[in-house]
């Protein structure tokens, strides 16, 4: 069965496609504005100073391209890079990036030799990980670690009952020359200000215990974008700037513009079919939409295989021909339909799925609301068929 949306066309012909001499643009493209990324990093760096900035480029730079985003952020003042796992860190090293990199998500029995040899700093959340890091270190090249404590988020990080045991073991590894405990960190829940302040207090307890046992972490970090912007006490020595690097807001009550940020990604496509239908025509699988009037329908060649949430069916919108038009019918694997109303668009016309509200386009926030999710997911889920273009 074809993945195309089902559309019953009337006899009115569609507009002619563009002349063959005009080059046809890519069907699926994400334009990434590296200047916007640099501007966002510089803006937040100025707000949080004297705390330093770690730019988080995990998950392929939140879908924007890890290497390209990292270079833009470092040029704008970030002094660290953050990734989820060692493989992501090693990919940056292979690309020639020499800045400090922290990787903090590991398997149950990790091997850290390659990470240590490539000067990747390890986030340590368990006694087993600490032991493996010590195994990988030597007096000539000790493992550099940041100990992560769970202060209330309930994800990875040392549980309070294990703090003393692991801190003692870390100090022993330091004395043996196998490890340098460079940092201590945690992650806020961002549930509300009182919860974040409670976590800050717990972090202070962990730091005091670590120092009483002989550890001297010089880099303390707790805040991601949300904490860095709204709770200055959590900035400490370093903030981890994730979603804010890419110009998106972590808050429900403030958009990018309100925070002085500029979205760095604009996802575009082209209409590959335009047809006139009569009132009552059903659209796409299951006929969840019927045209309420005679209308022009446009077909866009992206679908859930490209990371377009199926949940935006009959809820999301795109920009075509200077105005916003609704996505109608169910999003399919490779395509979705837009009700253009009276707009007589042409095959090849530009479509903006999401970009910057300041330009009159739907935003990642708008798409997140339509899909009942968050803007983080909208940008990170884009698939391999969506070409990234940098400027």
């Amino acid at each position: 069965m074809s993945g195309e949306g089902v559309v019953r066309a009337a006899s009115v012909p569609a507009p002619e496609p563009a002349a063959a001499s005009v080059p046809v643009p890519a069907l699926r493209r994400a334009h990434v504005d590296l200047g916007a990324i640099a501007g966002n990093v510089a803006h937040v760096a100025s707000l949080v100073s004297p705390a330093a900035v770690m730019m988080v480029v995990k998950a392929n730079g939140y879908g924007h391209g890890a290497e390209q985003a990292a270079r833009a952020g470092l040029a704008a003042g970030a002094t660290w890079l953050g990734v989820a796992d060692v493989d992501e860190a090693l990919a940056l090293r292979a690309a020639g990036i020499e800045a400090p990199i922290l990787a903090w998500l590991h398997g149950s029995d990790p091997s850290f030799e390659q990470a240590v040899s490539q000067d990747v700093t390890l986030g340590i959340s368990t006694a087993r990980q600490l032991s493996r890091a010590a195994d990988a270190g030597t007096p000539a090249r000790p493992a550099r670690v940041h100990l992560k404590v769970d202060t209330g988020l309930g994800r990875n990080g040392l549980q309070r009952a294990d703090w003393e045991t692991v801190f003692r073991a870390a100090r022993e590894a330091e004395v043996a020359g196998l490890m340098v405990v460079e940092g201590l960190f945690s992650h806020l829940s961002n549930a509300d200000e009182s919860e974040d302040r409670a976590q800050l207090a717990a972090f202070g307890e962990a730091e005091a215990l670590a120092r009483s046992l002989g550890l001297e972490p010089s880099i303390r970090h707790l805040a991601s974008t949300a904490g860095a912007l709204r709770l200055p006490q959590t900035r400490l020595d370093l903030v981890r700037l994730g979603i804010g690097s890419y110009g998106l807001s972590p808050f429900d009550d403030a958009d990018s513009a309100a925070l002085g940020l500029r979205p760095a990604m604009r996802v575009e496509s082209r209409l590959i079919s335009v047809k006139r239908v009569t009132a009552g025509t059903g659209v796409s699988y299951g006929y969840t939409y019927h045209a309420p009037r005679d209308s022009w329908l446009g077909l866009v060649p992206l679908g859930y295989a490209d990371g377009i949430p199926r949940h935006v069916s009959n809820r999301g919108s795109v920009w075509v021909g200077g105005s916003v038009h609704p996505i109608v019918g169910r999003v399919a694997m490779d395509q979705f339909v837009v009700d253009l109303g009276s707009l007589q668009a042409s095959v090849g016309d530009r479509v903006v799925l999401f970009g910057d509200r300041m330009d009159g386009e739907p935003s990642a926030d708008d798409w997140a609301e339509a899909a009942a999710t968050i803007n983080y997911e909208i940008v990170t889920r884009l698939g391999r068929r969506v070409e990234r273009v940098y400027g």
Side-chain angles (χ1 to χ4, degrees), residues 22-49:
V22 178
V24 178
L27 294 181
R28 311 172 188 92
R29 178 170 287 175
H31 293 265
V32 178
D33 184 343
L34 297 178
I37 290 176
N40 295 328
V41 172
H43 173 63
V44 176
S46 69
L47 294 176
V48 303
S49 180

Side-chain angles (χ1 to χ4, degrees), residues 114-325:
Q114 192 174 8
V116 172
S117 71
Q118 293 294 312
D119 199 24
V120 174
T121 303
L122 301 167
I124 298 299
S125 291
T126 67
R128 183 63 170 171
Q129 290 173 10
L130 184 78
S131 175
R132 286 302 196 183
D135 290 344
T138 66
R141 188 186 284 273
R144 305 185 74 83
V145 306
H146 290 201
L147 301 178
K148 185 172 187 181
V149 291
D150 183 358
T151 55
L153 185 58
R155 300 193 313 192
N156 64 336
L158 298 164
Q159 292 183 280
R160 184 182 289 267
D162 298 326
W163 289 356
E164 182 172 351
T165 299
V166 175
F167 291 169
R168 287 186 183 278
R171 180 56 184 156
E172 291 173 4
E174 273 196 324
V175 171
L178 304 177
M179 177 181 297
V180 175
V181 179
E182 183 181 50
L184 182 70
F185 74 117
S186 189
H187 200 303
L188 298 173
S189 67
N190 300 320
D192 58 44
E193 184 174 328
S194 64
E195 294 288 353
D196 287 349
R197 288 183 181 278
Q199 286 192 250
L200 177 61
F203 186 85
E205 294 175 28
E207 181 187 355
L209 178 60
R211 295 191 186 280
S212 75
L213 297 172
L215 297 176
E216 298 181 358
S218 60
I219 303 174
R220 303 160 304 150
H221 48 112
L222 182 60
S224 58
T225 300
L229 293 179
R230 287 204 169 162
L231 198 58
Q233 299 92 325
T234 65
R235 292 171 183 169
L236 305 179
D237 304 306
L238 179 73
V239 299
R240 300 185 301 270
L241 185 59
I243 199 69
S245 302
Y246 309 99
L248 300 179
S249 170
F251 306 119
D252 292 331
D253 61 352
D255 64 9
S256 301
L259 300 176
L261 304 174
R262 185 154 56 99
M265 179 184 287
R266 173 176 285 106
V267 177
E268 296 185 357
S269 185
R270 299 281 163 172
L271 295 177
I272 61 169
S273 173
V274 179
K275 57 184 63 177
R276 182 75 170 172
V277 299
T278 56
T281 297
V283 178
S284 196
Y285 293 124
Y287 285 172
T288 60
Y289 180 84
H290 291 81
R293 61 198 179 290
D294 293 355
S295 188
W296 292 99
L297 300 181
L299 189 64
V300 181
L302 291 99
Y304 53 78
D306 304 297
I308 305 305
R310 195 166 181 266
H311 287 81
V312 301
S313 302
N314 298 308
R315 292 174 55 86
S317 299
V318 300
W319 181 99
V320 184
S323 57
V324 174
H325 302 272

